[in-house]
Amino acid sequence: MEQQTLLPKKPLATTQSSGSGKRTRKYFIAANWKSNGTTHFVKDIITNMINSFEYDAGKLDLMLLPGLLHISLAQAMVAPHVQVGAQNVSQHGQGAYTGEVAAEHLADYGIQWVLIGHSQRRGVFQESQEVVAEKVKKSRENGLGVILCLGENLEQREKELTGQVLDDQLTSFHTALGGNWENVVLAYEPIWAMGTGRIASADQTQEAHEHIRKWLSKTVSPALGEAMRIIYAGSVTETNCENLIKLSQVDGFLVGTSSTKPAFRDIFETVQRQAGRDLA
């Protein structure tokens, strides 16, 4: 196994292309614990699993997304090369917004990344694309890196509207980001696969990722289209991750429920092996 490389806790820059056609995008895996876990759980999983992962941090980024109350504990416990981000942020700044956590608060707390646009925020909490875009804008104004979720629901997939939905979401993100895509990771999240046990086929996943990459190349720049990390999010498990990570357009995973279980080690090691092969 390659010697572990330790990186300082700083925003993760978008991997740049070498222009040679060889893959240079660093892999990315994020563990979204959602509203799960206790203090005991956090201590146990970090001590006995996360901190035991040995990998080349020049080839793979690992990020934990704990619940809000467990962020400080996770920050204090993780190895230096493991990033810790937040699962959500308010679309409002500081002010009379009881219960909200503003982007200013996350930045002040030393949190450098935030997950935005997850299907459960859109579905359960009815966050519109306008709200999602405002969260992106506020996060960027406060120097936060963002993992942006985008994807279609079942009705849109069945009506063959996936491309249009992705285009609309990307256009909204582009405006909210002010055209600056630095420190962004895109997570393709077919909503119909979230928590259902269903998963997009290899062809569906590759097609969606290619569509996103082509939009970036055409709308922003070919360099960004090649360099942007696009990860898959949608019922990722230890049994389906190996086929998905072999796809040329998939740069890693946003892992939900499986990231709270022992199976996360298998998922991580699958991504790690692929990174070792592709970025040797």
Side-chain angles (χ1 to χ4, degrees), residues 88-94 97 100-104 106 114-117 122 126-149 168-178:
N88 188 32
V89 66
S90 176
Q91 69 268 35
H92 305 291
Q94 298 187 74
Y97 304 105
E100 291 291 275
V101 177
E104 294 95 327
L106 297 182
V114 62
L115 177 67
I116 299 177
R122 294 176 186 264
Q126 297 296 300
E127 291 182 358
S128 66
Q129 184 61 28
E130 290 73 24
V131 168
V132 171
E134 190 61 28
K135 290 186 174 192
V136 173
K137 184 173 182 291
K138 288 286 192 294
S139 297
R140 180 46 50 90
E141 289 171 351
N142 287 277
L144 301 178
V146 288
I147 304 171
L148 295 178
C149 295
D168 290 346
Q169 292 172 342
L170 287 164
T171 298
S172 177
F173 292 152
H174 188 55
T175 300
L177 290 166

Side-chain angles (χ1 to χ4, degrees), residues 26-266:
K26 189 194 296 189
Y27 281 87
F28 187 98
I29 184 167
N32 177 18
W33 292 346
K34 305 186 179 181
S35 187
N36 290 306
T38 61
T39 297
H40 173 76
F41 162 81
V42 174
K43 290 180 178 178
D44 180 67
I45 195 170
I46 291 178
T47 300
N48 296 314
M49 186 188 296
I50 303 301
N51 282 352
S52 70
F53 290 164
E54 296 183 6
Y55 62 99
D56 184 345
K59 299 179 180 179
L60 172 63
D61 287 323
L62 171 61
M63 183 175 295
L64 302 184
L65 300 169
L68 181 65
L69 294 179
H70 294 139
I71 285 179
S72 61
L73 176 60
Q75 287 176 312
M77 291 189 64
V78 294
H81 52 286
V82 179
Q83 298 285 320
V84 177
Q87 296 177 14
N88 188 32
V89 66
S90 176
Q91 69 268 35
H92 305 291
Q94 298 187 74
Y97 304 105
T98 302
E100 291 291 275
V101 177
E104 294 95 327
H105 298 144
L106 297 182
D108 181 60
Y109 214 62
I111 299 167
Q112 297 171 328
W113 281 77
V114 62
L115 177 67
I116 299 177
H118 191 276
S119 62
Q120 288 162 347
R121 298 300 312 178
R122 294 176 186 264
V124 178
F125 299 98
Q126 297 296 300
E127 291 182 358
S128 66
Q129 184 61 28
E130 290 73 24
V131 168
V132 171
E134 190 61 28
K135 290 186 174 192
V136 173
K137 184 173 182 291
K138 288 286 192 294
S139 297
R140 180 46 50 90
E141 289 171 351
N142 287 277
L144 301 178
V146 288
I147 304 171
L148 295 178
C149 295
L150 69 166
E152 78 284 6
N153 60 33
L154 183 58
E155 180 182 6
Q156 291 163 338
R157 164 62 67 171
E158 291 178 340
K159 290 183 177 180
E160 300 184 352
L161 296 174
T162 297
Q164 179 181 324
V165 171
L166 295 176
D167 289 351
D168 290 346
Q169 292 172 342
L170 287 164
T171 298
S172 177
F173 292 152
H174 188 55
T175 300
L177 290 166
N180 178 8
W181 289 81
E182 185 179 2
N183 289 328
V184 172
V185 172
L186 291 174
Y188 170 61
E189 183 188 43
I191 297 172
W192 48 271
M194 295 302 296
T196 64
R198 301 174 63 180
I199 191 167
S201 69
D203 287 344
Q204 289 171 326
T205 302
Q206 182 83 341
E207 180 183 37
H209 284 228
E210 284 181 346
H211 184 96
I212 294 167
R213 205 171 294 286
K214 288 178 180 177
W215 186 96
L216 293 169
S217 295
K218 181 179 179 180
T219 307
V220 187
S221 72
L224 180 68
E226 185 176 350
M228 176 60 65
R229 290 184 289 182
I230 307 173
I231 62 178
Y232 177 80
S235 297
V236 178
T237 70
E238 72 277 18
T239 58
N240 60 37
C241 63
E242 187 164 2
N243 286 334
L244 289 170
I245 200 61
K246 291 178 180 177
L247 298 173
S248 62
Q249 300 297 332
V250 174
D251 301 316
F253 300 120
L254 173 63
V255 187
T257 302
S258 294
S259 70
T260 66
K261 301 177 180 180
F264 185 61
R265 181 181 294 276
D266 296 327

